Amino acid sequence: MDRQGQIINPSEDPHLPQEKVLKFYRSMTLLNTMDRILYESQRQGRISFYMTNYGEEGTHVGSAAALDSTDLVFGQYREAGVLMYRDYPLELFMAQCYGNMSDPGKGRQMPVHYGCKERHFVTISSPLATQIPQAVGAAYAAKRANANRIVICYFGEGAASEGDAHAGFNFAATLECPIIFFCRNNGYAISTPTYEQYRGDGIAARGPGYGIMSIRVDGNDVFAVYNATKEARRRAVAENQPFLIEAMTYRIGHHSTSDDSSAYRSVDEVNYWDKQDHPISRLRHYLVSHGWWDEDQEKTWRKQSRKMVMEAFAQAERKLKPNPNLLFSDVYQEMPAQLRKQQESLAQHLQTYGEHYPLDHFDK
Amino acid sequence: MELSSLLTRRRVGMAAAASTAGRLLRLGAVRAEGHCRRLRRAGLERGFLQPTSAGKDAAQKRHVAHFTFQPDRESQEHGQTQKMNLFQAVTSALDNSLAKDPTAVIFGEDVAFGGVFRCTVGLRDKYGKDRVFNTPLCEQGIVGFGIGIAVTGATAIAEIQFADYIFPAFDQIVNEAAKYRYRSGDLFNCGSLTIRSPWGCVGHGGLYHSQCPEAFFAHCPGIKVVIPRSPFQAKGLLLSCIEDKNPCIFFEPKILYRAAVEQVPVEPYTIPLSQAEVIQEGSDITLVAWGTQVHVIREVALMAREKLGVSCEIIDLRTIIPWDVDTVCKSVIKTGRLLISHEAPLTGGFASEISSTVQLHDELPSFFLETF
C-alpha cells in the first residue's frame, strides 16, 4: 500500500475480506482514541503514567492479525494494539492503568504493563529486552509440545542493543525455535535517535549474522506487516526456525508522559509523519477507495469509540484500589512465614495509624 | 575473649581468599559468664590444632588446609540405596526428574557430554537431544531461556557452570524470575524453573571458581536458594527444588562432588525446603552453617567438646531463603549463644541476616547482647 492507500504490487495484495479490514481499522482507531484519553488523564493527575502508541498502530494490528489467537505474545510496552486486536476489553486496559481492584494484575505495576492469560499475552515488565530470551524458551517448549503454536516477540530498535537481544537471537537460531522476532524500529529510544543506537544497517541486517532469515517492512503499511508476519508464521511452524521482521515506523508521540520530545526533535519532523505517513490514514484511504468506509461512518465511529472509552474510563476511576493484603501474596506461590509476619505487622500498624493512610480508597 | 578467638582461629580448609566468617553472639549473660570464666582459667595453649581423638601430637604444624566430609547415618526410609558421590547424587535426581516429567529439560554450557563436573553424564543418551542439550555460552540467555520454558508450564533445569558466572543472569533472576508471579497478579509464573550451579571453594579455584554468592540472592524475594551438605541431602533437596512451584537456585558445593560419598536412595525422595536441620544436639552454643562449612563446624564441635568441655548444637540451614527462623531461634533460646560460619565474605554475608533476625526475636532476651 502506498501513502494514498493504493496497492502497489497487486500480487502482494492479501485480499483480506471487508470485515477483517474493518476490524483492523476499528482496532487502530479505538487504540488511538484510548491513547488520547488516557494520556490526557495522566496530565490531569488521574493516572500516574502513560505511554501512547501513536504512529505504530499498523505494526501492532498487522502482525496480530496474522497470528493464531493462541500464539504466545511477549511484548516490550508499546504493543497495546495487539491486545486491542485480540479484543481485550477497555475496562481491563483502564483497570490496569488505574491500578484498581478489577485489574487482573492486582494493581502491582505501573500503567501500560498489561497481561492477559486467556489472550496469551505475557505480562509486560519494565526492564528492556528481557522478554527476548524468554520468548525463545517459550518457543522451544511449544516446539517440544508439538502444539502448532509459535511465539512472537516484540521489541524496539533500542532494546535490540541489549545483551538479552543478542542472547535471544543466538539461542533461537542454534536451538531451532519457532519464533518471530518483531522489531518496531520507530526512530527513537526516548531521546536517542537511531544514529546513536547503532551504526550498522538496522536490526534486520543482524539476523543473517545469527543465521536468522530476516526482512525489513514498511511498518506503516498494515498489509505489508500482515503479509510478512503471515509468511513468517507459516514457515516458523513448518521449519522450526526463527524469523526476524524489522518494521520501519515512527514514534509520533513522546516516549511517555514523563517525556517532552520537543527537547530533542522538531515539531516539523513529527508533523511530517503524522500528516504524510500515518498507518491509520493510509488504511482509511484504502477503505474509502474500496467503498468500505465513508465520512458518515467515520463521524459515527469516532463518536461511538469515544463514548465507549469515556464510559470505561469513568467506571475505572470510580473503583476502589486493591486490598493492601495483596502487597504480600504471590511473591511465592505459598506465603512464607516471614512475609506473613510482615503482613501482620502492616495490619497492626494500620490499626493504630490508619488515619494517616487513604484507606477509604482501598478495597477492605 | 578466648572462646571466640579460638573458634575463629579454626580456619580449617579455607583458602585465604575465602576465609571463615564467624559471629559469636552471647545472650542472656549469667549462665554463660560463669562457664567462660572457667574456660579462661583453664589456660589454653596455642598450637591447638586437632581433636584429641585424631591421636596425633597436639603441637604439630599444618602444611595444607583440609576438611573432612562426614557422612550422615544411612537413611532407611527411602528404599534401596547405592554408594554415590555428590555429582552422582545430582545425576540420579536429574534422571528421576526426566523419567517422571516428560516436559522436563536440562540445558546449559557443556551439559550434553556430561558436564564439566559430570553431573549430567548419560542423560542425553537416555532422554534424547531435545531434552538434554547445550546452549551457547551466555548465562543471561540460559536463565532467560529457562524462564520462558517455565512460563509455558514445562520444567526447566538450567545449569550455570560456576556460581561465579551467575552474575550476567542476575537481571533475569532478580528482575524477571523472582517477580514473574507477583507482577502479573499470578496470571503467569516461572515456578518450574530450577537453576543449578557449582558453588564454593575447591582449593585451587581462585577468585572465579570459588565464589559463594548466596547473599546477593538472599535479598531477593520470590526465589528460593538451597545449598546441600552431602549427596543424600543434595538429591532430596534438588528434587524438592525441581518440584517446587517457585524459581529455585540450587548451589552444589563443588569440593564435595567427589569427596563426599554416601549411601543414597536410588528412587526419588524429597527433603523439605525452608527447613533447617539440627544435625547434632547440644546445650552451650548453637553453631549454624551450610554447604561445605557444615563439616568444618562438625569438627569444631568435636574439638570444643574435647578441649573445652563445650556442648555444641549444630544446625545445617539448608535453605537460605526463605530460611527457617524458628529452628534457629528455638535453638538459641535453649543454648543462649549463636555462632554462624560461612565461606562468603563477612560484610553483608548471610550471617548478618541471621544474627540480626535472631537478635530481634521476641522470645530472646535483649537485655544483654554482644557481637564479636
Side-chain angles (χ1 to χ4, degrees), chain B residues 80-298:
Chain B
Q80 191 201 359
T81 64
Q82 194 179 302
K83 192 161 98 166
M84 294 188 208
N85 61 28
L86 199 136
F87 76 70
Q88 290 164 334
V90 169
T91 315
S92 176
L94 297 175
D95 192 353
N96 291 155
S97 292
L98 265 59
K100 201 168 61 158
D101 176 355
T103 72
V105 292
I106 300 173
F107 51 92
E109 294 151 23
D110 304 296
V111 301
F113 88 104
V116 293
F117 289 109
R118 306 187 58 190
C119 294
T120 51
V121 168
L123 296 178
R124 184 176 169 94
D125 287 340
K126 188 166 177 185
Y127 294 103
K129 59 188 177 68
D130 62 319
R131 297 186 71 187
V132 181
F133 52 93
N134 291 338
T135 63
L137 211 168
C138 178
E139 287 76 15
Q140 67 193 101
I142 290 168
V143 174
F145 179 82
I147 291 170
I149 290 179
V151 167
T152 70
T155 299
I157 306 169
E159 178 178 302
I160 297 295
Q161 199 159 85
F162 285 86
D164 314 56
Y165 310 141
I166 202 164
F167 301 107
F170 201 71
D171 185 41
Q172 285 284 352
I173 293 169
V174 167
N175 269 332
E176 298 289 315
K179 297 172 169 61
Y180 231 88
R181 190 189 294 275
Y182 185 81
R183 74 188 188 199
S184 69
D186 200 18
L187 295 179
F188 298 94
N189 72 79
C190 58
S192 56
L193 171 66
T194 302
I195 301 166
R196 311 174 22 250
S197 190
W199 169 103
C201 79
V202 68
H204 58 283
L207 292 82
Y208 302 110
H209 297 80
S210 313
Q211 290 181 44
C212 300
E214 67 275 8
F216 293 106
F217 296 101
H219 193 56
C220 178
I223 51 171
K224 297 192 177 181
V225 176
V226 178
I227 307 176
R229 67 172 182 274
S230 73
F232 173 81
Q233 291 289 314
K235 176 169 169 169
L237 289 168
L238 178 54
L239 283 168
S240 290
C241 286
I242 293 170
E243 285 177 22
D244 195 273
K245 305 281 190 253
N246 302 284
C248 295
I249 303 178
F250 185 74
F251 286 126
E252 302 167 355
K254 64 179 80 68
I255 199 173
L256 298 181
Y257 273 145
R258 288 180 185 273
V261 183
E262 267 180 333
Q263 292 294 121
V264 178
V266 170
E267 290 303 307
Y269 60 97
T270 54
I271 293 176
L273 302 184
S274 295
Q275 264 191 39
E277 187 183 355
V278 178
I279 62 173
Q280 179 179 297
E281 289 188 12
S283 56
D284 294 329
I285 181 170
T286 301
L287 309 179
V288 175
W290 49 89
T292 315
Q293 197 68 354
V294 172
H295 305 287
V296 175
I297 286 300
R298 268 172 155 151

Side-chain angles (χ1 to χ4, degrees), chain A residues 173-192:
Chain A
T174 54
L175 300 174
E176 298 171 3
C177 301
I179 181 169
I180 299 174
F181 292 115
F182 194 104
C183 177
R184 295 175 292 96
N185 188 328
N186 64 13
Y188 289 91
I190 308 188
S191 69
T192 307

